[in-house]
């Protein structure tokens, strides 16, 4: 037995109360809607309402967290190389020396006086252990395919590793060093004369190297800083280049988990979906009604027959072929069912199809075929 689908009783009660209102009852109109579409919308809206309410409540109970990086200890290093180029007695330069970023003449240069300063500063006192040294390298190179290719190199140690120890938030180192320009320049020219090879470029690079480790209350630090000065040699005029100044910041970072609270954006989203679903559900239930299906007399008769005797029928596809003189036409299904009971035979039901437009019911025995047709 099939049960008819119906809206919840509380909706019918709400509908009845609304219709009692003089204005609502006056203008209320119920719109017919295909039952399949109507129930599909009702079920979909109900499921969406339940799901969105569940997700909204679950979001309210869930606290979101995120990971963020924080600076536990920040510090910076600064290294700078200042220099002055001193000249031999000459008729051109009256001051005897020039400062940085100037062009210089090789023949008049005597030596270069450098002054290196290094500072470390942190937020809090640290246990600082490190060292500094000064090295130099003379390199000769030739240009090949628009690139400089090193041919030979000679290394020097100008200041050996010197320890730096302190327990403070700020550490500083100062070192003055004279670079005998003429000695290095004469050495480069001597190599050219001895080898009869003139490179495209000869440079003297001086490097100030600082390495340190520090223990802080936020963890260890291990850093290095290099400043360099590049001096061209075996050149009639030259200009000093390199990384002679700069600041190098650093920090110890830690990651922590921070609660961001309830994600109200999702709560509002699912709440909005729930509201729309509820309104749609109420609208469909109150303002629409199932569209009545208009049945033909044949369909009505067939439905009554199937309702009363459906459990007695054996349904087959196609049609039963019998000789006309053996076929007996029965006027009603009740008579055909009575004959089937007397003969102890089943009632065979052949529904209408594309080949025929009638519903046919048969009872077969050894001699006759009893048939009832609903047109």
């Amino acid at each position: 037995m099939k049960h008819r689908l119906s809206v919840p009783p509380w909706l019918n009660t709400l509908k009845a109360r609304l219709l009692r209102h003089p204005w609502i009852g006056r203008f209320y109109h119920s719109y017919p809607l295909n039952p399949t579409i109507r129930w599909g919308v009702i079920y979909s809206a109900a499921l969406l309402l339940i799901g969105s309410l569940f997700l909204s409540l679950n979001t309210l109970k869930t606290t979101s967290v995120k990971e963020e990086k924080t600076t536990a200890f920040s510090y910076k290093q600064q290294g700078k190389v200042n220099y002055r180029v001193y000249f031999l007695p000459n008729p051109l330069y009256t001051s005897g020396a020039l400062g940085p970023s100037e062009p210089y003449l090789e023949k008049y240069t005597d030596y270069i006086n450098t002054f290196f300063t290094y500072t470390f500063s942190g937020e809090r006192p640290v246990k600082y252990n490190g060292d500094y040294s000064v090295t130099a390298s003379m390199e000769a190179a030739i240009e090949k395919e628009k690139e400089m290719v090193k041919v030979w190199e000679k290394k020097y140690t100008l200041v050996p590793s010197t320890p730096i120890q302190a327990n403070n938030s700020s550490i500083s180192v100062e070192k003055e060093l004279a670079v005998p320009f003429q000695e290095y320049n004469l050495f480069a020219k001597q190599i050219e004369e001895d080898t009869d090879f003139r490179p495209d470029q000869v440079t003297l690079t001086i490097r100030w190297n600082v390495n340190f480790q520090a223990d802080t209350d936020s963890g260890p630090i291990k850093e290095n800083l290099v400043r360099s000065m590049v001096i061209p040699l075996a050149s009639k005029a030259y200009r000093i280049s390199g990384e002679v100044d700069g600041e190098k910041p650093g920090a110890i970072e830690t990651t922590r988990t921070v609660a961001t609270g309830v994600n109200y954006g999702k709560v509002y989203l699912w709440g909005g979906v729930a509201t729309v679903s509820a309104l749609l559900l109420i609208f469909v239930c109150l303002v629409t009604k199932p569209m009545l299906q208009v049945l033909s007399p044949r369909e009505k008769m067939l439905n009554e027959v199937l309702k009363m005797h459906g459990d007695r029928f054996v349904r087959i596809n196609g049609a039963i072929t019998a000789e006309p003189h053996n076929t007996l036409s029965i006027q009603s299904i009740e008579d055909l069912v009575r004959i089937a009971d007397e003969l102890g035979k089943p009632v065979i039901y052949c529904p209408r199809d594309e080949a025929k437009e009638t519903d046919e019911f048969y009872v077969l025995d050894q001699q006759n075929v009893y048939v009832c047709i609903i047109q």
Side-chain angles (χ1 to χ4, degrees), residues 84-90 92-99 108-111:
R84 285 182 67 83
V85 178
Y86 287 83
F87 301 113
L88 297 167
N90 65 86
L92 181 60
Y93 298 110
T94 58
S95 61
L98 287 177
Y108 290 162
T109 302
D110 184 9
Y111 68 95

Side-chain angles (χ1 to χ4, degrees), residues 213-274:
Q213 294 181 348
D215 294 326
T216 73
D217 54 3
S218 301
I221 304 172
K222 187 175 182 180
E223 282 279 8
N224 73 300
L225 182 139
V226 179
R227 291 291 172 260
S228 61
M229 186 168 68
V230 181
I231 306 169
L233 300 175
S235 178
K236 293 183 179 181
Y238 65 94
R239 187 189 293 268
I240 296 174
S241 61
E243 188 178 0
V244 296
D245 191 9
E247 186 176 275
K248 184 179 180 181
I252 298 175
E253 293 185 338
T254 58
T255 302
R256 64 175 183 174
T257 302
V258 180
T260 58
V262 177
N263 189 342
Y264 285 101
K266 287 187 177 180
V267 174
Y268 297 148
L269 172 64
W270 293 120
V273 173

Side-chain angles (χ1 to χ4, degrees), residues 8 19 59 102 128 132 153 213 247 312 326 331 374:
L19 291 178
T59 305
E102 297 284 347
Y128 187 104
Y132 75 93
E153 178 184 17
Q213 294 181 348
E247 186 176 275
R312 300 287 307 274
N326 292 335
Q331 296 299 318
I374 298 178

Side-chain angles (χ1 to χ4, degrees), residues 40-271:
V41 174
I42 291 174
Y43 285 146
S44 299
L47 290 175
L48 193 58
L49 174 62
I50 295 171
S52 56
L53 286 175
F54 171 78
L55 291 173
S56 180
L57 293 174
N58 187 60
T59 305
L60 279 172
K61 294 188 296 182
T62 303
T63 302
S64 301
V65 296
K66 69 175 182 177
E67 291 187 348
E68 66 176 20
K69 290 184 177 182
T70 58
T71 300
F73 184 86
S74 61
Y75 59 92
K76 66 178 179 179
Q77 302 177 85
Q78 187 169 17
K80 182 177 182 180
V81 179
N82 200 3
Y83 61 90
R84 285 182 67 83
V85 178
Y86 287 83
F87 301 113
L88 297 167
N90 65 86
L92 181 60
Y93 298 110
T94 58
S95 61
L98 287 177
S101 304
E102 297 284 347
Y104 314 104
L105 295 176
E106 170 205 53
K107 188 174 182 179
Y108 290 162
T109 302
D110 184 9
Y111 68 95
I112 303 171
N113 195 55
T114 65
F115 190 78
F116 173 68
T117 57
Y118 167 81
T119 58
F120 170 89
S121 57
E123 292 180 344
R124 298 180 294 277
V126 298
K127 186 179 180 181
Y128 187 104
N129 291 289
D131 64 85
Y132 75 93
S133 62
V134 185
T135 60
S137 63
M138 186 184 298
E139 295 182 3
I142 60 173
E143 185 176 2
K144 186 175 183 180
E145 296 180 355
K146 297 183 180 181
E147 292 185 1
M148 301 307 295
V149 180
K150 182 172 65 176
V151 178
W152 58 264
E153 178 184 17
K154 183 174 177 60
K155 295 183 178 181
Y156 304 89
T157 299
L158 305 184
V159 178
S161 177
T162 304
I164 309 172
Q165 292 183 344
N167 193 354
N168 203 342
S169 61
S170 180
I171 297 98
S172 62
V173 175
E174 296 180 352
K175 180 63 179 178
E176 187 175 4
L177 178 68
V179 179
F181 175 83
Q182 285 298 334
E183 291 184 15
Y184 293 115
N185 196 51
L186 291 174
F187 178 81
K189 289 184 176 181
Q190 181 185 348
I191 297 299
E192 290 183 10
E193 292 176 2
D194 293 346
T195 60
D196 197 21
F197 168 71
R198 182 172 180 81
D200 295 322
Q201 176 181 287
V202 182
T203 56
L204 176 68
T205 303
I206 303 175
R207 296 180 179 88
W208 287 261
N209 312 287
V210 180
N211 302 289
F212 81 92
Q213 294 181 348
D215 294 326
T216 73
D217 54 3
S218 301
I221 304 172
K222 187 175 182 180
E223 282 279 8
N224 73 300
L225 182 139
V226 179
R227 291 291 172 260
S228 61
M229 186 168 68
V230 181
I231 306 169
L233 300 175
S235 178
K236 293 183 179 181
Y238 65 94
R239 187 189 293 268
I240 296 174
S241 61
E243 188 178 0
V244 296
D245 191 9
E247 186 176 275
K248 184 179 180 181
I252 298 175
E253 293 185 338
T254 58
T255 302
R256 64 175 183 174
T257 302
V258 180
T260 58
V262 177
N263 189 342
Y264 285 101
K266 287 187 177 180
V267 174
Y268 297 148
L269 172 64
W270 293 120

